[in-house]
Amino acid sequence: MRVTVGVGAVSGVRAAEVLAAVDAVLPAGARVTGLATLDVRAAEPGLVAAAADRGWPLTGHPAAALAAVAVPSPSPRVAGAVGTASVAEAAALLGGGRLVVGKTVRGRVTVAVAA
Protein backbone atom coordinates (compact mmCIF):
# COMPACT_ATOMS: atom_id res chain seq x y z
CA MET A 1 0.00 0.00 0.00
CA ARG A 2 1.38 3.40 -1.04
CA VAL A 3 0.78 6.13 1.53
CA THR A 4 1.29 9.82 2.13
CA VAL A 5 2.11 10.83 5.69
CA GLY A 6 0.85 14.20 6.84
CA VAL A 7 3.01 15.78 9.54
CA GLY A 8 2.43 18.64 11.93
CA ALA A 9 5.24 19.60 14.26
CA VAL A 10 6.49 22.34 16.51
CA SER A 11 9.43 24.49 15.52
CA GLY A 12 12.69 22.87 16.53
CA VAL A 13 11.46 19.29 16.22
CA ARG A 14 14.24 16.76 15.60
CA ALA A 15 14.33 14.28 12.72
CA ALA A 16 14.37 11.38 15.19
CA GLU A 17 11.09 12.61 16.71
CA VAL A 18 9.46 12.83 13.29
CA LEU A 19 10.65 9.38 12.22
CA ALA A 20 9.59 7.78 15.52
CA ALA A 21 6.10 9.24 15.14
CA VAL A 22 5.82 8.05 11.53
CA ASP A 23 7.13 4.58 12.34
CA ALA A 24 4.68 4.25 15.25
CA VAL A 25 1.61 4.63 13.02
CA LEU A 26 2.56 3.17 9.64
CA PRO A 27 0.38 0.23 8.69
CA ALA A 28 2.25 -3.03 8.05
CA GLY A 29 3.58 -3.18 4.51
CA ALA A 30 2.97 0.52 3.85
CA ARG A 31 5.30 2.22 1.39
CA VAL A 32 5.66 5.93 2.11
CA THR A 33 5.58 7.98 -1.08
CA GLY A 34 6.14 11.27 0.72
CA LEU A 35 5.71 13.50 3.72
CA ALA A 36 3.36 16.48 3.53
CA THR A 37 2.98 19.44 5.86
CA LEU A 38 2.21 23.15 6.11
CA ASP A 39 4.33 25.17 3.70
CA VAL A 40 5.98 27.21 6.46
CA ARG A 41 7.04 23.98 8.19
CA ALA A 42 8.46 22.39 5.03
CA ALA A 43 11.77 24.18 5.65
CA GLU A 44 11.96 23.03 9.28
CA PRO A 45 15.36 21.30 9.60
CA GLY A 46 13.97 18.29 11.50
CA LEU A 47 11.33 17.60 8.86
CA VAL A 48 13.81 18.12 6.03
CA ALA A 49 16.30 15.76 7.68
CA ALA A 50 13.65 13.10 8.38
CA ALA A 51 12.50 13.10 4.77
CA ALA A 52 16.08 13.04 3.47
CA ASP A 53 17.01 10.19 5.82
CA ARG A 54 14.35 7.95 4.26
CA GLY A 55 14.54 9.32 0.72
CA TRP A 56 10.99 10.67 0.88
CA PRO A 57 9.92 13.85 -0.89
CA LEU A 58 8.65 16.59 1.43
CA THR A 59 5.76 18.72 0.22
CA GLY A 60 4.52 21.92 1.84
CA HIS A 61 0.94 23.10 1.31
CA PRO A 62 -0.37 26.63 1.94
CA ALA A 63 -2.68 27.00 4.93
CA ALA A 64 -5.56 27.94 2.62
CA ALA A 65 -5.23 24.65 0.71
CA LEU A 66 -5.15 22.65 3.95
CA ALA A 67 -8.11 24.60 5.34
CA ALA A 68 -10.21 23.62 2.30
CA VAL A 69 -9.90 19.90 3.12
CA ALA A 70 -12.65 18.33 5.25
CA VAL A 71 -11.08 16.35 8.10
CA PRO A 72 -12.52 14.27 10.95
CA SER A 73 -10.45 15.91 13.71
CA PRO A 74 -10.16 19.68 13.22
CA SER A 75 -8.48 21.74 15.94
CA PRO A 76 -9.57 25.30 16.73
CA ARG A 77 -6.24 25.82 18.54
CA VAL A 78 -4.27 24.87 15.43
CA ALA A 79 -6.53 27.04 13.28
CA GLY A 80 -5.75 30.02 15.50
CA ALA A 81 -2.02 29.34 15.36
CA VAL A 82 -1.44 28.56 11.67
CA GLY A 83 -4.61 29.44 9.76
CA THR A 84 -5.94 25.93 9.19
CA ALA A 85 -7.76 23.59 11.56
CA SER A 86 -5.74 20.62 10.34
CA VAL A 87 -2.18 20.09 9.22
CA ALA A 88 -1.47 16.34 9.46
CA GLU A 89 -4.83 14.98 8.29
CA ALA A 90 -5.37 17.61 5.59
CA ALA A 91 -1.82 17.28 4.28
CA ALA A 92 -2.12 13.49 4.12
CA LEU A 93 -5.43 13.74 2.28
CA LEU A 94 -4.02 16.21 -0.24
CA GLY A 95 -1.56 13.44 -1.10
CA GLY A 96 -4.53 11.41 -2.28
CA GLY A 97 -6.80 8.65 -1.13
CA ARG A 98 -8.54 8.25 2.20
CA LEU A 99 -7.30 8.38 5.76
CA VAL A 100 -6.09 5.02 7.01
CA VAL A 101 -4.62 6.48 10.21
CA GLY A 102 -6.24 9.58 11.67
CA LYS A 103 -4.50 12.35 13.57
CA THR A 104 -2.12 10.80 16.08
CA VAL A 105 -0.04 12.90 18.45
CA ARG A 106 3.39 11.57 19.47
CA GLY A 107 5.23 14.09 21.61
CA ARG A 108 5.91 17.20 19.54
CA VAL A 109 4.76 15.58 16.26
CA THR A 110 1.29 14.93 14.88
CA VAL A 111 0.93 12.45 12.03
CA ALA A 112 -1.84 11.06 9.84
CA VAL A 113 -1.68 8.58 6.96
CA ALA A 114 -3.68 8.48 3.71
CA ALA A 115 -3.64 5.75 1.07
Side-chain angles (χ1 to χ4, degrees):
M1 162 179 34
R2 297 169 54 91
V3 301
T4 298
V5 179
V7 180
V10 300
S11 182
V13 70
R14 295 182 332 269
E17 294 173 273
V18 174
L19 294 174
V22 171
D23 291 343
V25 302
L26 275 182
R31 181 171 165 250
V32 176
T33 59
L35 298 182
T37 192
L38 183 65
D39 58 0
V40 298
R41 286 286 187 247
E44 183 66 38
L47 286 173
V48 172
D53 182 71
R54 300 282 174 92
W56 298 331
L58 176 60
T59 303
H61 298 286
L66 296 173
V69 178
V71 297
S73 305
S75 168
R77 182 184 63 77
V78 171
V82 298
T84 176
S86 174
V87 174
E89 287 180 334
L93 287 167
L94 282 175
R98 62 176 178 78
L99 281 180
V100 294
V101 177
K103 178 171 81 174
T104 304
V105 179
R106 304 271 308 182
R108 301 189 310 159
V109 181
T110 302
V111 291
V113 180

